[in-house]
Amino acid sequence: EAQVTQNPRYLITVTGKKLTVTCSQNMNHEYMSWYRQDPGLGLRQIYYSMNVEVTDKGDVPEGYKVSRKEKRNFPLILESPSPNQTSLYFCASSPTQEPSGNTIYFGEGSWLTVV
Amino acid sequence: GNSVTQMEGPVTLSEEAFLTINCTYTATGYPSLFWYVQYPGEGLQLLLKATKADDKGSNKGFEATYRKETTSFHLEKGSVQVSDSAVYFCALCPSGGNNRLAFGKGNQVVVIP
């Protein structure tokens, strides 16, 4: 079954404690990205990756890091989380760099609370 | 830049009522357009899409037509059910780009029995 898997799904952490949210896809997709969803703001892109070792900033990259060492994995790293990073995070992947109507697959989301 | 605008506020309606959620966009070229649905406690699922002008996307009784002249992609369903209660997001993917979806803010739809 084609899927994008995120972990953890739910996490409460404290300010300043480094954390990583993992994302893995089993569809051999080149393109992966991270979004955060906040009430009244919709989804905003944090980082994206066109392929292995190729990453770039999205619209709201501050406070986040990513890496793409393997095609299937695209972890999101919060080096020093702060309360304003409390949000619902989605990982997404798609099969090609060109949209051409290709479906973008989303993970189930990770609820992160920073206290 | 690319942007998507959805009508403000939640939508509350009775079962079997007609649903319309407005979506307009700003983009250069010929973007692909999408509607995503998020059921309570779940992630986003693609509901329907359209890739060129005058295309109609449809799924589960929902429809949306890509109108380039009005830069719109309004979502409609003739008779909603309680199970359609969810948040609906309109999105665009720019042409020749990097799959960077631009999302609207979403509309909460609540269907009352």
Side-chain angles (χ1 to χ4, degrees):
Chain A
E1 180 188 353
Q3 57 185 1
V4 178
T5 304
Q6 300 177 220
N7 278 297
R9 294 287 316 281
Y10 304 91
L11 179 64
I12 301 174
T13 190
V14 296
T15 299
K17 184 177 181 182
K18 179 180 179 179
L19 69 93
T20 299
V21 186
T22 63
C23 174
S24 180
Q25 49 93 3
N26 63 359
M27 296 166 279
N28 202 37
H29 286 171
E30 295 91 359
Y31 183 88
M32 297 185 74
S33 63
W34 277 101
Y35 293 85
R36 60 178 288 174
Q37 180 183 359
D38 301 290
L41 297 176
L43 278 82
R44 296 175 293 169
Q45 192 179 54
I46 303 170
Y47 268 95
Y48 65 95
S49 169
M50 304 276 245
N51 214 323
V52 175
E53 301 292 1
V54 181
T55 63
D56 208 346
K57 295 177 181 178
D59 300 314
V60 287
E62 294 78 20
Y64 304 94
K65 286 174 56 178
V66 292
S67 68
R68 188 88 183 274
K69 293 185 170 58
E70 309 163 278
K71 201 171 190 180
R72 63 183 293 122
N73 295 324
F74 190 47
L76 179 69
I77 303 157
L78 285 72
E79 293 272 4
S80 183
S82 61
N84 65 12
Q85 292 179 296
T86 293
S87 188
L88 173 58
Y89 292 86
F90 288 102
C91 181
S93 74
S94 69
T96 179
Q97 295 179 20
E98 290 297 324
S100 302
N102 282 319
T103 301
I104 297 175
Y105 294 79
F106 283 85
E108 293 186 319
S110 294
W111 287 95
L112 172 63
T113 301
V114 184
V115 298
Chain B
N2 301 311
S3 67
V4 175
T5 302
Q6 291 182 233
M7 51 194 279
E8 292 287 331
V11 178
T12 302
L13 59 169
S14 300
E15 204 165 22
E16 298 184 2
F18 185 88
L19 170 69
T20 299
I21 306 177
N22 290 340
C23 170
T24 57
Y25 68 90
T26 301
T28 55
Y30 298 88
S32 296
L33 301 174
F34 305 84
W35 276 100
Y36 282 87
V37 58
Q38 184 180 28
Y39 297 105
E42 299 184 12
L44 276 76
Q45 302 174 27
L46 178 67
L47 180 60
L48 53 84
K49 66 181 180 185
T51 58
K52 61 183 187 295
D54 300 325
D55 265 4
K56 177 185 283 188
S58 61
N59 186 25
K60 299 181 181 181
F62 290 89
E63 292 183 340
T65 301
Y66 189 144
R67 301 281 188 206
K68 189 158 178 66
E69 64 276 14
T70 55
T71 61
S72 65
F73 193 55
H74 304 322
L75 182 69
E76 297 181 336
K77 185 173 185 181
S79 177
V80 293
Q81 306 301 312
V82 172
S83 57
D84 293 323
S85 297
V87 181
Y88 293 82
F89 292 94
C90 185
L92 73 80
C93 192
S95 57
N98 53 21
N99 274 350
R100 292 187 64 182
L101 283 173
F103 283 88
K105 294 182 179 180
N107 285 104
Q108 174 85 52
V109 172
V110 176
V111 181
I112 300 169

